[in-house]
Amino acid sequence: MQISYEENQTIKGVVEEIVYYNDDNGYAVCYVQMEYGYTTVVGYMPYISVGESVTITGNWTTHPDYGEQFKAEYYEKNMPQEKADILKYLSSGIIKGVREATAKKIVDYFGEKSLDVIANTPERLADIPGISKNKAIEIGASYATQLGVRDVVMFLQKYGVSPTFAVKVYKRYGTRSVETIKANPYILAEEVYGIGFKTADRIALSMGVEKNSYQRIEAAISYVLWNETVNGHTYLPQNILADTTAKLLGVDMGEVLNAI
């Protein structure tokens, strides 16, 4: 394979093996099978699993000990479609309550519809001998988490937010993550450690929030006040607060005073 070291390249393939995975931040080292052979992929890829079809954007690098690697910046994962890949995915242990033996039972029983059943009608898993109704519901809930994280990662990647922060967002808001962000993207700066006002503002503007909306101005006021605590201040005179906020946002000072 001819490797190009240009930036922002995209590769596609199926995850064959995960060599290392950090549960806390989603950092992974894995082997991906592409049409022209295996490659090692490293980077923050939360909840990635064996058997998944992935599209990864990043750059080729050369590790002094391990050679050529593809460093992931962003990734998309598509749930496997073929029976063999579904079996591999379910056998990986990423879904709570499912190991190799249970995975084989599910795929033998439901075939290519296995993941659809788990996602939409998990109680049907109890039709399989050895799977209780409670276990079936547990499997469905665990799979829902996988889908939820995937949706948040995909949603936030459009706005330049890394998978690492996407996991933090999901841990904070769960299945309500996307709707919570759409309702108020500035809540990310207030409640998710590591995401600042400028990142939240970029997301908000990209989503169509007006430049002089009260939501934006109010969030900026809080940001300016909080930012000044770094310099030891416990308050700001109203005119200084309004002027600083207006300059930060490029809005009229009167609009800031109204928001205050």
Side-chain angles (χ1 to χ4, degrees):
M1 178 187 69
Q2 182 88 24
I3 291 179
S4 168
Y5 287 90
E6 295 178 3
E7 293 186 356
N8 297 323
Q9 298 184 64
T10 299
I11 62 172
K12 297 181 180 181
V14 176
V15 180
E16 290 293 329
E17 182 182 351
I18 295 176
V19 180
Y20 171 80
Y21 185 78
N22 186 316
D23 287 317
D24 293 329
N25 59 19
Y27 185 84
V29 178
C30 61
Y31 295 137
V32 174
Q33 172 70 59
M34 299 182 290
E35 57 179 316
Y36 46 74
Y38 285 96
T39 191
T40 302
V41 179
V42 300
Y44 295 98
M45 297 173 283
Y47 293 94
I48 197 166
S49 177
V50 170
E52 288 178 327
S53 174
V54 292
T55 301
I56 304 171
T57 300
N59 305 287
W60 289 103
T61 62
T62 302
H63 191 280
D65 296 323
Y66 304 113
E68 303 292 346
Q69 298 179 335
F70 193 79
K71 184 178 180 180
E73 296 295 335
Y74 300 104
Y75 88 112
E76 292 180 39
K77 58 180 186 175
N78 306 302
M79 292 306 166
Q81 304 296 320
E82 303 295 328
K83 285 178 65 175
D85 291 333
I86 293 172
L87 178 60
K88 193 180 298 182
Y89 172 77
L90 292 176
S91 298
S92 69
I94 195 169
I95 296 179
K96 187 177 180 181
V98 179
R99 296 293 178 181
E100 190 171 352
T102 303
K104 189 173 187 310
K105 287 182 181 180
I106 293 172
V107 175
D108 286 345
Y109 198 92
F110 291 109
E112 294 176 353
K113 296 181 179 179
S114 296
L115 295 181
D116 288 334
V117 170
I118 296 173
N120 300 309
T121 54
E123 65 276 3
R124 291 181 61 195
L125 296 174
D127 295 340
I128 301 172
I131 299 181
S132 66
K133 186 174 181 179
N134 286 341
K135 184 175 182 179
I137 298 302
E138 181 185 63
I139 291 171
S142 179
Y143 186 57
T145 297
Q146 306 304 316
L147 296 179
V149 173
R150 182 192 65 175
D151 291 344
V152 175
V153 170
M154 297 303 104
F155 177 75
L156 289 176
Q157 279 185 170
K158 294 186 297 184
Y159 304 108
V161 179
S162 73
T164 308
F165 286 122
V167 171
K168 289 185 178 182
V169 171
Y170 186 82
K171 287 180 177 179
R172 180 69 178 83
Y173 304 112
T175 56
R176 295 173 49 254
S177 296
V178 174
E179 63 183 274
T180 299
I181 297 166
K182 286 182 176 179
N184 179 15
Y186 294 102
I187 201 171
L188 295 174
E190 298 171 9
E191 298 186 353
V192 180
Y193 180 76
I195 297 182
F197 170 79
K198 292 181 180 179
T199 298
D201 192 43
R202 186 181 70 245
I203 294 171
L205 293 174
S206 298
M207 290 172 56
V209 172
E210 294 293 334
K211 183 179 179 182
N212 61 345
S213 72
Y214 269 3
Q215 186 182 61
R216 182 174 188 245
I217 295 172
E218 288 170 354
I221 290 168
S222 295
Y223 166 71
V224 171
L225 285 169
W226 180 256
N227 198 48
E228 286 299 321
T229 66
V230 176
N231 297 320
H233 297 298
T234 56
Y235 76 96
L236 285 178
Q238 180 172 278
N239 65 320
I240 294 178
L241 173 60
D243 182 60
T244 303
T245 304
K247 289 177 179 177
L248 172 68
L249 300 182
V251 300
D252 184 75
M253 186 169 169
E255 293 177 305
V256 179
L257 289 169
N258 287 336
I260 292 173

